[in-house]
Amino acid sequence: MVKLTTSKDPELMALNAKVQTHAKVVPCAVNREKREHFKRNICASGCGRFKDFGDVKPSTLNERGALREAARCLKCADAPCQHSCPTSIDIKQFISQIATRNYYGAAKSIFSDNPVGMTCGMVCPTSELCVGGCNLAATEEGPINIGGLQQFATEVFMKMGVKQTRDPSLPPLDQLADSYRTRVALVGAGPASISCATFLARLGYSDVTIFEKQDYYGGLSSSEIPAYRLPYDAVDFEVRLCTDLGVKFELGKALGRDFSVQSLKDEGFGAVFLGFGLPTANTDPAFAGLEAGQGFYTSKDFLPQVSKASKPGMCCKGAATPALPALHGTVMVLGAGDTAMDCASSAFRCGAERVILCFRRSFNEIRACPEEFEIPKKDGVEVLPYCTPREVVLRDGRIFLVEFLKMEKGADGRWAPDDDQVLRIKCQFVISAFGSHVGDSALVDACAPATFTAQGRVHADPASGQCVGVPWLFAGGDLVGATMTVEAANDGKTASWHMHKHLQASAGGAVPAEMRLPLFHSPIDDVDISIEMLGLKFKNPFGLASATAATTGEMIRRGFEAGWAFCVTKTFSLDKDLITNVSPRIVRGSTGGNIYGPGQTSFTNIELISDKSANYWCGVVRELVADYPDHIVIASIMCSLNEADWTELAQRAEAAGAHALELNLSCPHGMGERGMGLACGTVEGFVRDICRWVRAAVKIPFFAKLTPNVTDICAIAGAAKAGGADGVTAINTIQSLQTVDPDGAAWPRVGQAKQTTYGGMSGSANRPVALAKISSVARAFPGFPIMGTGGVESAEHTLQFVHCGASVVQICSAIQNQDLSVVQDYITGLKALLYLKGREASGAGWTGQTPPPGSLPHRAPGLRDIEDVVASPDRPQFGPYLTERLRARARALKEADLLAAEYVPCGAGAEPARVPRLQDELGRALSRITTWGDLAIKEQVVALVDQEKCINCGKCYMTCNDTAYQAIQFHPETHKPLVLDVCTGCGLCGAVCPIPDCITFVPRTTPFPPQRGVAPDGIPNPAYNPFDAAACGAA
């Protein structure tokens, strides 16, 4: 007889986890084979990169990576990362917004301070800037990948297709003085000019024109930064955000050929900004007179040709199709800066079989930032330090070899060539990347009346960009010595304010002494998120909970200034019930595991109500109501089961001007021992009586705050309603004991005896309980007003609470994890969610602010078809399978036309016909919440694994084996999970899968009889139809 408790399929269980009973011995030869078989860190180096301009930046993140990285951020006070950003982006704010999946809010924070924030997210040398100041660099896990997060947020926003608009709170253009219609010219369509023009347009200047000599936008960002670092659609997107504000671009207009600075002034331009890059390459005398036909390129020749041939959309339609430089053999790249690294990696993509990077100094003095050097290093570049070219040898009119001298460092610290140490290297091509200068004297003359320094830079005030002696002329970027894109952007930003000052002063006007440039704005920011409840108008649904964030009136005042729409004061009592707290009393919870710092999933507190008097709180209420007439002030009060006390305190709070009351009937610790809080809120009769007393005492609305520490919260809510409560607040904290140390002492521990008590747990760990309780009350009492609280930490959470029946939400734990400013994240996030919901009818495939699957990370447009060719569910992405994928990709690229596909920019999407109001979303989920017996038992599903997303970890296999139905096979060679027909669709595999949307659940196409094990009594045939009603009842 087969035992019921033995495995029916030993092969299925072969790779399941087993307890180790002895040391495992594997010969090294076998181990080497296994290592190679499962190796993942394989890359296509060298010639395997031919024509491969897909994103290879090590910083690029998809959504999963961005969320995990953002969660690590500490959101530091006076964050050093922000001080290290030339454009002063609020880095901790945008990272915090990414962590809450508010990608629009993050992009808004970025573009508010840097109009070319997407470009900078892709190309900034962050290790020398923001990342270099990250406090987490002092920890084992290292600093935050800020550049990758910035790129991610701005790319998601680009996918949204939302236009930039001018903030309607600013004076309308037709109401501004004539000085705002002064013509303003900017020369060069690079980052400095785009940044400057954007801020001028935000200020209200309506006649701003950028002149560009090329037939494409972006300046050196487009022409000299390869597509694998900066695709053209990123630059194009930032230009279109600029044109959204009315800025005009005139392409094909060259300074020195078509106009001069003085001619612009003579034509009526009131201010001019010079923001073009340095056009002429520095070259070593050894290569004088050599040209591309002989194998010699400068970076100024080579990189633009590469970009034109690999960036769809960059070149005008109808123009001759550009081709990549036809390289082969060995390529020498001279230089050690970022441009040299771009030349080296691009050389591989143009056909070079071997690339040697030659420079004069040591490794420690490479000028390129580490992340920039990482790409050519991974491509397989060879490095030759301490060398300077002396002579180039030609054969048959082409470069044959280059002779170098060894560089030696003298006692004075200077490097000098040593004529006795000579090195000769054969090569077919040389690319010089030694920097650049203005060069052309005609261009210098055309810049007059600007003057140049001995170093070849425009003579301008570094604090304003204003050219010395020429008040109407400004300069920024390469021309004034900026070495980074982000510095050029900041030069343009800084100059915009001083141009504004000059233009207004010239017209007899004045501007504030403090620089006040407008923030980024879009139609999303115009979405109305106000909501009305019980005649009270909340300008947004976010309020300070009756907790530590509302400890004092001063804190509430700061909360209102930050953007919170309402507050519930810290609970106060009559003076006879005043308390004194113990310490410590607020501790991190244990629900989030070993996570330290912000991002705690729970807190536990044994803090009681406010230790301040009723007179204090009534005074606070009076001040807040008087000073903030558009905010709602709710007084939280608590008494024992005494009618006189409740009557007195409620009337005092009403007399102080409170808009509403919250009756704290639910504090789970301390106060119950005094006959207050939980002692009152768990008995229906007590709740009904207290509400009746308060109803008889006051005319203003009041809410009974409910405890979750009861069997049936609806019974308590019903008692409150019967007593005359206008609504309820759900839920208060959950009674808990978070942790006990190995010595048996719990935390928090008070006094020498290390005693503790059961505390109240708050934070995101409470959210599932809060949603269940709120929806239960909303279903039981339709239309009964609810204030939600318990674990709201994002705009998405807020919408969940609204969908479950709460009109507004109270928040504290999220503030404890960060600060009062989090409300701006929630405001922009909720507006974005409602705006995008207005587009749902278009079927765009967005989930909240998450774009459709496969949209990220960024890939060069010309490679999309190739990705489809390479993708194969039969080939996992490791070892020999990954090698074959890379080979298939290389073969496809070799024949690909990178410019064949029509360039389709991520343009603005259709405006929603109607953006839903928050009131429209109230209770939206309730119709879908029902009893178990009403669920669709006939509509069964099965798991489906997306093999292209699968990382072959086997977590689905393990959990299915040990806690579910043994319905997944795991291949010993490919590590591919295969879902078997016995899958019951339980969902556990999807719950533990580390990759979002890798496992989905699709309708079962065949009937599936439940496996009863042994035939049930009374049912002769165990293989009965499970969808038969009688059978379902028997189940």
Side-chain angles (χ1 to χ4, degrees):
M1 179 178 178
V2 177
K3 291 186 177 181
L4 298 177
T5 56
T6 59
S7 173
K8 300 179 183 63
D9 190 350
E11 185 178 347
L12 178 72
M13 305 297 291
L15 297 178
N16 202 46
K18 299 176 180 63
V19 176
Q20 185 172 353
T21 59
H22 54 273
K24 188 173 182 179
V25 180
V26 178
C28 288
V30 176
N31 176 263
R32 290 188 197 103
E33 290 181 8
K34 289 288 187 183
R35 277 204 314 263
E36 291 303 312
H37 181 80
F38 292 110
K39 191 177 181 66
R40 283 192 179 268
N41 56 341
I42 302 170
C43 65
S45 61
C47 55
R49 291 289 191 198
F50 180 54
K51 294 171 71 173
D52 188 349
F53 288 89
D55 189 337
V56 294
K57 297 188 300 296
S59 60
T60 297
L61 297 167
N62 60 16
E63 185 175 30
R64 176 184 181 274
L67 290 171
R68 291 175 71 92
E69 188 68 5
R72 290 203 305 123
C73 179
L74 301 179
K75 294 88 177 177
C76 306
D78 195 30
C81 57
Q82 184 171 351
H83 289 299
S84 303
C85 174
T87 55
S88 302
I89 290 174
D90 193 340
I91 293 170
K92 74 172 182 180
Q93 167 129 319
F94 90 68
I95 293 179
S96 175
Q97 290 165 322
I98 291 173
T100 61
R101 292 160 61 104
N102 178 15
Y103 306 139
Y104 169 71
K108 176 181 171 71
S109 295
I110 293 163
F111 285 124
S112 286
D113 276 299
N114 186 350
V116 291
M118 177 182 283
T119 291
C120 290
M122 294 181 176
V123 305
C124 260
T126 55
S127 61
E128 298 177 10
L129 301 170
C130 50
V131 171
C134 179
N135 285 329
L136 278 173
T139 66
E140 295 84 352
E141 63 267 34
I144 298 295
N145 175 8
I146 297 173
L149 291 172
Q150 184 167 324
Q151 173 183 341
F152 171 78
T154 51
E155 279 199 312
V156 173
F157 176 60
M158 179 174 71
K159 303 288 184 185
M160 290 182 184
V162 179
K163 290 186 175 182
Q164 181 173 198
T165 57
R166 191 164 175 271
D167 190 340
S169 67
L170 297 170
L173 294 180
D174 59 3
Q175 295 179 19
L176 290 171
D178 289 343
S179 54
Y180 285 88
R181 286 178 278 281
T182 303
R183 298 175 71 195
V184 180
L186 302 96
V187 182
S193 294
I194 293 172
S195 176
C196 183
T198 297
F199 282 110
L200 287 170
R202 288 180 190 172
L203 284 165
Y205 290 92
S206 55
D207 195 350
V208 180
T209 305
I210 297 178
F211 297 93
E212 168 58 48
K213 73 174 181 180
Q214 304 293 349
D215 58 357
Y216 51 82
Y217 311 106
L220 302 188
S221 294
S222 294
S223 63
E224 295 191 20
I225 301 180
Y228 55 81
R229 290 182 61 216
L230 181 64
Y232 185 69
D233 60 357
V235 175
D236 190 37
F237 173 65
E238 291 167 339
V239 168
R240 282 183 287 110
L241 288 179
C242 187
T243 59
D244 287 343
L245 297 176
V247 175
K248 300 181 285 290
F249 285 77
E250 292 198 19
L251 302 180
K253 295 295 182 69
L255 178 64
R257 183 190 68 196
D258 302 305
F259 62 90
S260 68
V261 169
Q262 188 59 53
S263 71
L264 292 174
K265 179 65 173 172
D266 296 341
E267 289 173 18
F269 286 94
V272 177
F273 177 79
L274 301 177
F276 59 89
L278 302 177
T280 306
N282 299 332
T283 55
D284 190 282
F287 301 98
L290 293 181
E291 299 176 347
Q294 296 169 291
F296 178 74
Y297 292 89
T298 69
S299 60
K300 296 289 181 181
D301 306 322
F302 179 70
L303 290 175
Q305 188 175 341
V306 172
S307 291
K308 290 177 182 179
S310 60
K311 292 186 176 183
M314 181 172 162
C315 294
C316 297
K317 288 185 178 180
T321 303
L324 291 171
L327 305 186
H328 59 86
T330 300
V331 177
M332 307 283 296
V333 177
L334 309 179
D338 291 346
T339 301
M341 303 303 160
D342 288 338
C343 289
S345 287
S346 297
F348 280 123
R349 288 157 175 78
C350 294
E353 296 159 18
R354 182 186 181 199
V355 177
I356 305 173
L357 195 65
C358 307
F359 48 95
R360 295 185 174 101
R361 299 184 181 181
S362 67
F363 270 106
N364 294 335
E365 294 172 285
I366 288 179
R367 290 187 294 107
C369 62
E371 53 267 42
E372 176 73 6
F373 183 47
E374 192 66 27
I375 298 174
K377 185 172 73 172
K378 193 173 273 190
D379 287 339
V381 70
E382 301 173 38
V383 179
L384 188 64
Y386 309 114
C387 288
T388 185
R390 180 170 72 172
E391 183 183 0
V392 60
V393 177
L394 304 182
R395 180 173 291 181
D396 297 328
R398 293 188 56 84
I399 292 176
F400 177 67
L401 64 80
V402 179
E403 185 176 282
F404 293 90
L405 295 179
K406 179 78 181 298
M407 299 290 289
E408 292 287 354
K409 199 171 189 178
D412 59 358
R414 296 183 179 181
W415 292 90
D418 182 353
D419 291 335
D420 295 327
Q421 299 186 71
V422 179
L423 177 65
R424 306 182 92 202
I425 299 178
K426 289 182 179 180
C427 61
Q428 283 69 52
F429 297 90
V430 173
I431 304 172
S432 175
F434 282 143
S436 53
H437 61 285
V438 175
D440 188 354
S441 60
L443 184 60
V444 173
D445 293 341
C447 291
T451 58
F452 284 76
T453 66
Q455 291 75 35
R457 301 294 184 260
V458 169
H459 200 184
D461 177 5
S464 66
Q466 195 167 38
C467 292
V468 174
V470 191
W472 52 269
L473 184 58
F474 297 78
D478 285 356
L479 283 173
V480 298
T483 59
M484 306 174 189
T485 300
V486 68
E487 288 184 335
N490 195 51
D491 285 347
K493 176 184 182 180
T494 303
S496 70
W497 178 259
H498 293 281
M499 294 170 78
H500 172 53
K501 284 180 64 176
H502 165 74
L503 292 170
Q504 294 310 305
S506 299
V511 298
E514 180 189 5
M515 294 188 188
R516 298 182 65 85
L517 292 170
L519 302 177
F520 180 89
H521 190 275
S522 82
I524 290 176
D525 299 303
D526 299 326
V527 172
D528 181 7
I529 57 170
S530 65
I531 192 166
E532 192 167 326
M533 179 175 64
L534 295 174
L536 302 174
K537 180 70 176 288
F538 297 80
K539 63 180 183 178
N540 65 57
F542 305 108
L544 299 174
S546 177
T548 55
T551 295
T552 68
E554 182 271 337
M555 294 169 71
I556 296 174
R557 180 178 291 273
R558 284 193 283 117
F560 284 176
E561 293 292 333
W564 298 89
F566 73 98
C567 75
V568 184
T569 68
K570 194 86 157 72
T571 302
F572 60 95
S573 64
L574 293 173
D575 291 350
K576 68 187 183 69
D577 294 318
L578 281 171
I579 60 90
T580 299
N581 276 303
V582 298
S583 63
R585 57 185 177 272
I586 304 172
V587 300
R588 63 183 287 271
S590 58
T591 56
N594 298 315
I595 297 175
Y596 298 90
Q600 295 302 316
T601 59
S602 65
F603 296 91
T604 285
N605 81 88
I606 54 173
E607 180 166 291
L608 303 183
I609 61 175
S610 175
D611 55 7
K612 292 180 170 51
S613 67
N615 283 338
Y616 171 83
W617 280 112
C618 288
V620 165
V621 170
R622 287 190 196 93
E623 288 183 13
L624 293 174
V625 169
D627 294 348
Y628 297 93
D630 59 341
H631 289 66
I632 302 298
V633 180
I634 301 172
S636 175
I637 59 175
M638 179 188 286
C639 299
S640 61
L641 191 64
N642 182 300
E643 182 177 2
D645 288 355
W646 281 104
T647 299
E648 177 188 350
L649 194 56
Q651 289 178 342
R652 289 175 65 180
E654 181 182 44
H659 298 103
L661 303 179
E662 183 177 88
L663 315 185
N664 189 337
L665 306 177
S666 47
C667 181
H669 49 268
M671 302 310 295
E673 301 166 20
R674 301 170 178 228
M676 305 165 77
L678 195 67
C680 297
T682 55
V683 180
E684 294 174 47
F686 292 173
V687 172
R688 187 182 303 110
D689 288 345
I690 291 170
C691 289
R692 282 174 178 165
W693 300 337
V694 174
R695 180 72 292 157
V698 299
K699 292 187 172 69
I700 59 175
F702 71 88
F703 298 80
K705 189 169 186 178
L706 306 182
T707 176
N709 303 299
V710 291
T711 303
D712 184 4
I713 196 170
C714 290
I716 304 298
K721 190 173 190 294
D726 297 280
V728 293
T729 299
I731 57 174
N732 208 325
T733 55
I734 299 174
Q735 195 171 66
S736 66
L737 182 67
Q738 282 284 354
T739 186
V740 178
D741 288 347
D743 64 357
W747 184 252
R749 57 183 74 101
V750 180
Q752 295 295 319
K754 299 182 179 180
Q755 292 178 310
T756 194
T757 189
Y758 300 114
M761 182 175 73
S762 62
S764 63
N766 287 16
R767 187 168 57 256
V769 177
L771 291 173
K773 301 297 185 183
I774 289 168
S775 59
S776 296
V777 172
R779 292 176 65 227
F781 307 103
F784 193 40
I786 301 173
M787 289 198 291
T789 184
V792 176
E793 294 188 336
S794 70
E796 284 190 348
H797 297 161
T798 302
L799 200 55
Q800 292 171 22
F801 273 63
V802 172
H803 284 165
C804 286
S807 297
V808 297
V809 293
Q810 302 175 21
I811 298 172
C812 181
S813 294
I815 303 171
Q816 291 174 321
N817 264 319
Q818 190 171 340
D819 55 63
L820 286 165
S821 70
V822 294
V823 69
Q824 290 301 319
D825 172 13
Y826 306 159
I827 289 171
T828 57
L830 186 57
K831 288 181 175 184
L833 288 172
L834 292 177
Y835 182 90
L836 292 171
K837 282 179 73 68
R839 284 187 178 173
E840 279 184 354
S842 66
W846 287 68
T847 303
Q849 292 195 51
T850 297
S855 297
L856 299 170
H858 186 94
R859 287 189 169 88
L863 303 182
R864 287 173 184 154
D865 295 338
I866 291 170
E867 293 300 324
D868 294 337
V869 170
V870 175
S872 170
D874 298 324
R875 291 193 294 239
Q877 300 189 48
F878 60 77
Y881 314 106
L882 178 55
T883 299
E884 180 50 38
R885 280 174 174 261
L886 293 173
R887 287 172 179 164
R889 178 182 174 85
R891 289 193 296 269
L893 280 165
K894 189 174 182 180
E895 305 301 325
D897 180 353
L898 299 180
L899 303 179
E902 183 179 358
Y903 175 66
V904 180
C906 290
E911 292 292 319
R914 177 182 177 274
V915 176
R917 292 178 58 84
L918 197 57
Q919 203 88 39
D920 302 333
E921 299 297 310
L922 187 60
R924 186 172 185 175
L926 297 179
S927 63
R928 294 188 174 100
I929 301 173
T930 186
T931 60
W932 194 97
D934 289 334
L935 299 178
I937 198 169
K938 294 183 178 181
E939 298 176 20
Q940 300 286 333
V941 298
V942 293
L944 177 66
V945 180
D946 185 333
Q947 297 294 348
E948 281 300 297
K949 292 181 180 177
C950 180
I951 62 171
N952 315 103
C953 65
K955 295 302 296 182
C956 55
Y957 165 76
M958 295 162 68
T959 196
C960 188
N961 275 347
D962 285 2
T963 55
Y965 296 90
Q966 301 81 52
I968 298 178
Q969 281 183 344
F970 196 57
H971 195 280
E973 297 298 321
T974 64
H975 278 189
K976 281 176 48 182
L978 175 64
V979 180
L980 305 176
D981 193 49
V982 294
C983 172
T984 68
C986 72
L988 185 58
C989 56
V992 302
C993 178
I995 306 300
D997 300 319
C998 179
I999 298 179
T1000 54
F1001 295 88
V1002 298
R1004 173 177 280 280
T1005 57
T1006 58
F1008 174 69
Q1011 302 299 304
R1012 303 300 182 189
V1014 176
D1017 293 339
I1019 300 178
N1021 179 14
Y1024 62 89
N1025 182 355
F1027 300 136
D1028 178 76
C1032 290

